[in-house]
Structures are given as C-alpha cells and as structure tokens.
Amino acid sequence: MILWTLTSLEMRHRPGRAVLTLLSIAIGMAAIVAVSLGTATTQQAYRRMYEELAGRAALQVTAQGGGGFEEGLAARLRQVAGVQAAVPSVQRLTVLRFRGKRVNVLMMGIDPSQDRQIRDYQLRAGRYFQSEHDQGALLGASFAAGAGIHVGDELKLMTPRGWPPLKRVKVVGLLAASGVGGFNQGGVLFLPLGLAERDFVFPGRINTIDLVLKSGADARTVAAKVGKILPAGLEIHPPARRTAMAEKTLVSVRQGLRFASDFAVALAVIIIVNTLLMNISERRGQLAILRAVGATRGQIVRMLLTEGLVFGICGTVLGCLLGAGGGYLLMRGVTRLYTSLPPPITFTPFAFLLAAGLGPALAVVAAVIPALMATRISPLEAMRPPVASGDSRAPRWLTWSGLAVVVVAGGLSAAGVRGWLPIAAVVPLAVVSMVSIVLLIPWLLTPLGRAAAWLLNPWLRLEGRLAERQTRRRPVRTALTMGVLYLAVSMGIGEGTAIINNIGDVRSWFRQTMLADFVIRGSAPNPATGQTVELPLSLVDQVRKVPGVASVGTIRFLTARAAQHQVYVIVSSFSGPSLGLDLYHASPQYVRRKLLHGEVVIGTVLAHRAGLGVGDKIAIETRQGVKKFRIAALAIDYMTGGYVVFMSRAAAKPLFHVRGVDALLIQAAPSDLSQVYAALARIARQHGVMLYSFAQLSRKLDVILAGLVGGLWGILVLSFVVAAFGIANTLSMNVIEQTRELALLRVVAMTRRQVRKMVLSQAGLIGLIGVVLGMCSGVASAYLITRSMMPLVGYPVPFVLHPILFVGCFAGAMLLVLLASWAPAERAARLDLLAALQYE
C-alpha cells in the first residue's frame, strides 16, 4: 500500500510524463482496434446480413451469371431426400424513387404462401401479401421512416422490362426491424413473386431457390444430390458464400492498414520503454531511499511493474475508445466504397479483446528492463548526483541479438516477397526487422554522432561539440529517442511511397479503362452479391438516336466460377474506338480481334492465384456446363479486386443467357459534348438512371481515394506527433540532469543564447541521425510493401521513389524536433543559477 501511494504521488508530481506514456499506449491500441474493426467486422456484417436474408435456408440454388431459370425446378427439388422446403424467389437490385429521392434497394419477389417457411415477417403496420399476384409492396419500417414513406404511398421502381421504365407500386405494409425487416438497415423491398417475375425477369422464371433441410439432414449430402439434377449453369451453395467477392476486394486495403498499425504499435513500445527508463532515472534518489529503509529488490520490481500495468490498462481503455471511433469511420468509408448500400455497423469483441490483452502486456514487458536496471544499482550509488553518473553501455548480447533479428526477419520478409512464404507474414516480419535496428543504434551512436557533429560544425561550433558529448553520455536513452524518430520517418517514407505508387497505379488504370465521355448506369456493382441495377432495354435505342453520339458500348456484370474461384464476368460489346481495358503488356488491336473471336481477358490477380498466363485455357462454369476459353491477355483491374473475366457479348450471350444491360459507355463528337449531355440528362431523368461525365467520375474517384488514404496518413501524422513528444520528454530529462552542469557553464561566462543553442543542438543531432536512419530504412520498407502487393494485384506495381516525399519528411521531422526542443531549451536558458548550483 505504501509503495502504491508513492507511485500515485509520482504520477501526480510528473503529470506530463504520465500523459505521454498513456498516449503512447493509447495510440498503438487505437490503431489495432480501428484496423481490426475496419476489416474483420466488414466481412462479418456482410455475412450476417445475408444469413438473415436467407433465414432458415441451409442451401441456395442460383444461376451462373445471375440469370433466371424455370420456376418449376423448385417442385423437383422438394422431392430430394432431406429437403423440407424449396422456396423460389427473385432477387435484384433496383432504384426506388419517392418525392424526388433516389435510393438503391434490394428487391425480393416472394411467394406469400411459401416464403414464411424461410423468413419471418413481423408487420409493424398495414397488411401482408394476399397472393403472389398482389400489386402491393412491403418495406422495412425503419427504412420507410427515414425516407418518409407510409402505408398507402406510391413508389416508383426502375424495371428492366416493359414500358414505362418506372413502374408504380403502392406500399401495403411495413415490417418491424427484425428478421428480414432489418436487413441492410431495412433497405429491401418485397414484391409478390408474380409481379417481380413480370417486371424483373420473365413470367415463370426466378433466380433463387432457398432450401430448408429436414432435421438431421447433412447439408453436404443434400447438396451433392441436388447438384446431380440441376441443369447446366446452375449451382448450389451455402447462402453466405456470396460474400466471398466482398472479402477479396478488401485485401489490399487491409494490407496497408496492417502495416501502419504494426508500426504504430512498435512506436508505442519504444516510447513506453524510453519513458519508463527516464522515469526511473529521475527517481534514483527515491528508489535508493526505499532500498535504504528496507524495501527489497522484489518489492521495487513489483512496484515498477504495477506502474506499467496501470499505465497499460488505462492506456488500453483510452485506446479502445479512440479506436472505436476510428474503426466506425473506417468501416463506413470502406463499406461505402464497395457497395451503394453499406451494411449495418457492428462492433465485434475480438478487436477489443486483442487490445485488452496486448496493451497491458506490452506495458508490463516494457517496464521489465528499467525495473531490473533499478534493482542493480546500490542505494549508495543511487544517492549520488545524477550528473555524476552515466548510463551503462548497451549489453553486447542485446546488440548481437538485434543484428540477428534484423538479418533473420529481413531474410524471411524477402522470402515472402518472392512467394516462398505466405504474403500475410511479410508485413509483420518487415516491421520486426526494422524495429530491431533500434537495438543497433547504441553501437552506431559514437561514429554517427561524430559524423553528424562534423557535418553541422560550421553552424553549431562549440555548442554542437558539447551537445554531441551529452548525447553519448546517455547512449541507451539517446538511442531509444532516435529510435522513436527513426520509426516515424521510416513509416512515413515506406507507407507514403507505397500510397503514392498505388494511387498513381489506380489513376493510370482509370485513364486506361474510362475512355467514354459519358456513362449511364443504375448503380455500382455490389461485390457482396455481384448484382447491379439492370437498365431498361428501351434505353439503349434511345441513346443511340441522340444527335452527336458517336458510339454506344454496353456492359453486363455477371458472377460465375472460373478456375475454382468466384469471379466477375464483365460482358462488353467492345464496339467503341478504344478497348477500355488496362492491358498488361499486350496490344489493344490484337486483343480486340481475339475477344471478338471468342477468347477472354482475365484479371492479373485471378491469373496469379490460378497460375494461368496468356495462351492458357481457363475453365468457366456456364449455363451450358463447363467451357474452356483461351486467354488472350491479362488486364489490371481495381474495380472488382482483380477476380474478373472480360468476354465479348456475342460469346457470352448463349452461355449465360445475357439479355440485359448494366451500363452504357457513350462517346460523342468533341464539338457536341454539351448538347449530348443535355439530351442524355433528359433520358436519365425519364428512366430514373444515373448519368456521369468523365469529369464527374474522375472527381468521384478522387473522393474515394482521399477517404481511404486519409486514414493511413492520419496514422502517420500521429506517429510524428508521438515522436515529437518523445523527443521533448528526453530533452526535458536531459536538462534536469544537466541542471548543475548548465549552471557551472553559465558561471564561467556561457550566455543564455549559447545554453539555448546547446540544447537545440542536442535535438538537432538526435533528429538528424534518426531522420537519416529512418529515410534509409523507409526506402527498404517501401520496396517490401510495393513488392508484397504482387499477390494482391497480380503484377509488380512499379517501385518509384519520390524526392518531394523525402524532402517533406525530412523538413517535417526536423521542424517537429526543433519545436519539441524549444521548451526544454528555454528552461535551460532561464535557470536560477543559485538554485541550480545547489541541485543534487
């Protein structure tokens, strides 16, 4: 109890140091929580949503390519042993218009007499469907309240069949926010099956059958039996499997966030160790007195470890709060990027449990070294003035251990880049290798310090030489402070170079693929389902008749299985003057001829994962069975995560029963752009579709990239801020320990300006060495990050160094160092000489 009282008094006496330690832990834990929530929870949210939508269904039957099939198949499936119910439905994305609002919703056509076997419908208001030929619609109550929709209101739905393109339907009931009523925040609209078939597929055709199994039936056994009687082009799978595409598209984002998070944690560990080392150095007298009055070494160690545990718990709590907010924003940004209907945000316990275990553990481990150091000093030695003693040199075993870890972890990182180890291991191994370099800094401090002092001697002169001697007096502390700055700069250069290179690659892809002047579409593809809002068939002919339109290309998004992977099949007419593909080392003219002759182009990621190349054949499951297509070329693709197959419409139409259109790519004569845009805008309003110009799409891309990259840059900025706190803390401690020495220098005629300059010189030397080491390490980390993207994008992203980034990091880091050192310098310059001479 007495020891804990002393600890609490010390925290109140040095609040700045306590706050710094808390912040260092909090930032590291916040990064872990935010990244964990922003990646794992997104996939879980998708999976949970579609499991709610599937209800009690254990299996689903769908068509390759997302097309329709005969409703009578459901009756045959009910006869399969182990199947309790086979319920047909139509599921399509559509656009709902109400009082000037335009909202993308999932339309579900259901048979009221059968669907209750699958899903639960709890009415909040109105009525349920009376038959499958009812003319009403059901909406989730929470969604309707947000849109201002009530029972009896009339909605307009965009339909791909018939005329007019916007069909009117009346809301007959609202569903409670549970079960299917809560799916996608209520963003689902239910129609009777007959009405959905007529307006979205064809009468008598559906696109989904949900299977409920009898008690005790094995899903795999039933799936095998069902698979034997399914027509070619249909597949049976668990309902949650449709989330696979969404998970693949998030891999590259997760890789970058993991790198930033790991570096932030490493930075926090070094700052914690440095802070606790300085804390113990300043408390040498207090600890010596405790030892002199009977406190044992074990009690001292327990007291210091308890302090670390308390800091760890408090910092983790604060970090979890910060990470929850950051994770919420990150999840909203990521889900809005990949779907027009973001899933509901939920917080999984895994991220918080990970932080709860890691935060206190890191703090306790960081406190072990200074705690053991404190017990090795005798009470008599500890009572001597701190100015008369110096830090012991770093143990040789520590230096050699650091060198061994650098070599081993660096070699394993290189092996991961070459594909010999899982790519997921590259980032943590690279971080471990770079962090271990901090253990080598005490060994390098003398030659690096002298080189830096010689380089800056024309400006620093005598004060610089005195500053260089002071940095060598405390090698461990100086090395840890340099390590903080080194890691911040290394992270800034490495992550910044990778960000800029990848953004440049995305922009290059956009310029190669988006060559149309205007794009008309109903919605962006939803990677969780592969669905889009299908455009009305009458729209294509209307656009072609617009004066000034030079060409109209069509695109259809389908889903299928190719080379054992779930992929997008993008069907295009390839009728425009440009191909619209970012080809990887291939001629557009050659590839166009091959596409029109029935060959395909596949994404680089799919090619890399499937081990395929140009000239090979890829097996694709179609409505006519498995067909093999020759690969004409590879293409870079960022829209679908690289799991994509490009195919001509003529080749895909008989294989996937392609009928509709998801997007129109329109090119116009340069002199008629404004007139064409005005005419297309009128058509878009008439059909309820979305019209974009090239400039609008470019701005949209900028907004998307800014949202994703902003989170990564935010972590980097926080790292630099934390590094500045660490330097300020170190210099403050140095000034305290040099109190008597500084007073003696003032007595022998050193001016306040010279004292200030000497302290600033210490900061400059620490900053210069740390920044230079960080820049060298940053180049290596940038190379590893860039090369580790190969399995994620399927081709080597160009590795380019950016001098402006180096200049910015150098200038920003040195400015932060000087700003952080100004307060300690002023304190040293304004010492009370009489009190300082009496300092012990």
Side-chain angles (χ1 to χ4, degrees):
M1 180 61 70
I2 296 177
L3 294 177
W4 172 245
T5 301
L6 293 173
T7 296
S8 61
L9 287 174
E10 179 64 24
M11 292 181 184
R12 289 197 296 268
H13 182 60
R14 302 291 183 187
R17 188 159 295 124
V19 169
L20 173 64
T21 307
L22 284 175
L23 285 177
S24 63
I25 300 172
I27 290 174
M29 296 306 104
I32 292 175
V33 171
V35 173
S36 298
L37 292 178
T39 53
T41 307
T42 301
Q43 287 90 339
Q44 290 177 13
Y46 275 121
R47 185 174 292 108
R48 185 180 61 254
M49 283 196 311
Y50 287 99
E51 286 174 351
E52 289 176 356
L53 189 61
R56 287 175 286 277
L59 298 168
Q60 276 186 342
V61 174
T62 56
Q64 290 289 349
F69 50 89
E70 296 298 328
E71 182 181 352
L73 178 63
R76 295 174 55 193
L77 297 184
R78 295 188 190 105
Q79 307 304 316
V80 175
V83 174
Q84 178 178 326
V87 181
S89 65
V90 174
Q91 300 182 21
R92 285 287 173 84
L93 284 179
T94 187
V95 175
L96 181 154
R97 297 178 70 92
F98 178 73
R99 294 179 182 174
K101 299 177 181 178
R102 183 186 189 281
V103 183
N104 292 347
V105 297
L106 176 65
M107 185 285 304
M108 283 198 63
I110 62 172
D111 185 340
S113 63
Q114 302 183 53
D115 210 71
R116 288 184 182 273
Q117 299 178 79
I118 299 287
R119 287 166 279 266
D120 295 323
Y121 296 87
Q122 301 179 23
L123 282 171
R124 174 71 62 82
R127 64 173 177 82
Y128 187 61
F129 296 138
Q130 297 174 347
S131 71
E132 67 173 289
H133 299 290
D134 200 319
Q135 296 298 304
L138 296 175
L139 274 177
S142 59
F143 176 84
I149 300 173
H150 303 88
V151 173
D153 287 341
E154 190 176 68
L155 310 176
K156 294 180 180 179
L157 297 179
M158 191 178 79
T159 62
R161 309 281 177 248
W163 185 267
L166 294 177
K167 297 296 179 68
R168 299 177 184 270
V169 62
K170 183 177 293 186
V171 178
V172 298
L174 301 178
L175 300 172
S178 60
V180 293
F183 171 78
N184 210 11
Q185 297 180 335
V188 58
L189 178 140
F190 295 90
L191 294 178
L193 186 60
L195 185 63
E197 290 177 349
R198 184 193 71 189
D199 291 335
F200 289 89
V201 193
F202 282 101
R205 295 182 68 85
I206 58 177
N207 63 11
T208 304
I209 297 178
D210 294 297
L211 301 181
V212 179
L213 305 186
K214 294 180 180 178
S215 178
D218 180 68
R220 293 185 178 181
T221 303
V222 174
K225 294 178 180 178
V226 171
K228 293 179 180 179
I229 64 174
L230 288 180
L234 302 188
E235 63 173 354
I236 183 167
H237 54 78
R241 202 195 72 179
R242 64 178 74 194
T243 64
M245 296 300 295
E247 295 178 357
K248 291 174 181 176
T249 58
L250 297 175
V251 172
S252 58
V253 177
R254 187 165 57 245
Q255 187 82 345
L257 291 173
R258 184 184 295 120
F259 180 83
S261 174
D262 291 347
F263 251 121
V265 173
L267 201 63
V269 172
I270 292 179
I271 291 178
I272 295 168
V273 173
N274 199 15
T275 303
L276 292 175
L277 276 173
M278 289 186 292
N279 188 306
I280 292 173
S281 296
E282 189 174 355
R283 296 164 61 187
R284 287 159 53 94
Q286 180 194 85
L287 297 176
I289 293 173
L290 290 176
R291 291 286 309 283
V293 296
T296 65
R297 290 183 176 181
Q299 289 176 316
I300 298 296
V301 170
R302 285 195 297 273
M303 180 186 74
L304 297 177
L305 294 183
T306 301
E307 288 183 22
L309 180 61
V310 171
F311 278 125
I313 293 174
C314 295
T316 299
V317 171
L318 179 59
C320 287
L321 295 176
L322 295 175
Y328 176 83
L329 296 176
L330 184 61
M331 283 189 290
R332 296 292 295 181
V334 171
T335 54
R336 288 190 184 278
L337 171 64
Y338 289 109
T339 174
S340 57
L341 294 172
I345 305 300
T346 56
F347 294 98
T348 58
F350 172 76
F352 298 99
L353 292 175
L354 178 63
L358 193 58
L362 285 177
V364 172
V365 170
V368 168
I369 295 176
L372 293 177
M373 289 176 60
T375 60
R376 292 178 181 176
I377 303 174
S378 66
L380 182 60
E381 181 184 359
M383 290 182 184
R384 296 170 59 191
V387 73
S389 62
D391 285 348
S392 60
R393 299 186 63 84
R396 289 188 177 182
W397 66 265
L398 194 62
T399 301
W400 286 110
S401 298
L403 182 61
V405 173
V406 169
V407 173
V408 173
L412 292 176
S413 299
V417 170
R418 295 294 298 271
W420 300 339
L421 291 177
I423 192 62
V426 172
V427 169
L429 285 171
V431 172
V432 169
S433 177
M434 293 168 190
V435 171
S436 299
I437 293 177
V438 176
L439 300 178
L440 305 180
I441 294 179
W443 178 60
L444 300 171
L445 184 59
T446 298
L448 290 178
R450 288 175 178 172
W454 175 82
L455 184 65
L456 299 177
N457 185 64
W459 297 277
L460 303 184
R461 299 184 183 277
L462 174 64
E463 294 88 345
R465 291 193 293 272
L466 291 174
E468 189 268 332
R469 286 181 55 195
Q470 183 61 32
T471 58
R472 286 190 286 114
R473 291 181 60 188
R474 306 288 185 181
V476 175
R477 180 188 306 164
T478 302
L480 287 174
T481 305
M482 288 179 180
V484 172
L485 192 61
Y486 150 79
L487 280 181
V489 174
S490 178
M491 182 179 176
I493 295 292
E495 188 78 2
T497 300
I499 289 172
I500 295 174
N501 287 343
N502 279 275
I503 288 178
D505 203 54
V506 171
R507 295 193 188 282
S508 174
W509 162 81
F510 181 78
R511 289 191 298 268
Q512 293 291 327
T513 57
M514 188 48 61
L515 300 176
D517 297 311
F518 306 102
V519 176
I520 290 180
R521 69 184 186 188
S523 72
N526 187 327
T529 62
Q531 295 182 357
T532 59
V533 175
E534 191 175 338
L535 299 178
L537 294 175
S538 57
L539 181 65
V540 181
D541 292 333
Q542 276 188 275
V543 171
R544 285 200 175 103
K545 295 176 182 178
V546 172
V549 171
S551 66
V552 179
T554 62
I555 290 182
R556 185 78 164 95
F557 295 94
L558 310 173
T559 56
R561 287 193 65 79
Q564 306 302 315
H565 293 275
Q566 191 79 3
V567 302
Y568 282 109
V569 177
I570 298 183
V571 179
S572 176
S573 57
F574 299 112
S575 59
S578 58
L579 197 59
L581 299 178
D582 189 4
L583 297 174
Y584 183 64
H585 297 166
S587 166
Q589 294 78 13
Y590 168 81
V591 172
R592 183 193 298 274
R593 291 196 304 269
K594 294 298 183 179
L595 283 169
L596 296 179
H597 282 85
E599 297 187 13
V600 299
V601 174
I602 69 173
T604 52
V605 176
L606 176 60
H608 180 80
R609 296 295 173 87
L612 297 172
V614 176
D616 295 336
K617 289 189 175 182
I618 182 171
I620 303 177
E621 297 179 15
T622 72
R623 300 290 294 276
Q624 297 182 8
V626 177
K627 300 290 184 179
K628 291 188 176 182
F629 299 84
R630 186 178 183 275
I631 300 172
L634 306 182
I636 301 166
D637 179 75
Y638 281 97
M639 183 172 63
T640 62
Y643 288 84
V644 62
V645 175
F646 296 94
M647 185 180 297
S648 69
R649 193 174 183 89
K653 187 174 182 179
L655 299 176
F656 293 99
H657 296 184
V658 178
R659 294 186 176 89
V661 174
D662 293 322
L664 300 181
L665 305 179
I666 305 157
Q667 289 189 316
S671 58
D672 297 329
L673 288 176
S674 58
Q675 295 87 341
V676 170
Y677 182 79
L680 293 178
R682 290 191 295 270
I683 295 175
R685 286 193 296 270
Q686 180 184 17
H687 289 268
V689 297
M690 304 167 67
L691 171 65
Y692 294 100
S693 67
F694 176 83
Q696 290 171 326
L697 287 174
S698 181
R699 287 194 295 270
K700 186 177 180 65
L701 177 67
D702 290 338
V703 171
I704 290 173
L705 293 177
L708 281 177
V709 173
L712 297 176
W713 284 119
I715 296 177
L716 298 183
V717 171
L718 282 176
S719 300
F720 276 100
V721 171
V722 173
F725 273 110
I727 293 170
N729 205 17
T730 297
L731 293 175
S732 296
M733 186 62 200
N734 285 346
V735 169
I736 292 173
E737 293 190 347
Q738 296 176 61
T739 298
R740 192 174 182 186
E741 181 178 346
L742 291 173
L744 290 173
L745 290 174
R746 288 291 313 283
V747 169
V748 296
M750 177 175 274
T751 64
R752 288 183 174 180
R753 184 187 66 82
Q754 289 177 310
V755 170
R756 187 183 296 112
K757 183 179 178 181
M758 186 181 72
V759 177
L760 292 175
S761 298
Q762 290 184 39
L765 291 172
I766 292 174
L768 181 61
I769 297 173
V771 169
V772 170
L773 287 176
M775 293 174 73
C776 296
S777 176
V779 173
S781 64
Y783 179 81
L784 285 174
I785 296 173
T786 303
R787 287 294 175 259
S788 68
M789 297 297 292
M790 170 67 182
L792 305 179
V793 298
Y795 75 103
V797 176
F799 176 65
V800 181
L801 295 178
H802 304 276
I804 295 179
L805 178 63
F806 282 77
V807 173
C809 279
F810 182 86
M814 293 304 296
L815 180 61
L816 277 176
V817 167
L818 295 177
L819 290 176
S821 62
W822 186 257
E826 281 296 311
R827 179 179 179 180
R830 299 183 182 279
L831 284 175
D832 184 319
L833 295 183
L834 184 59
L837 288 171
Q838 297 174 350
Y839 179 81
E840 293 293 338

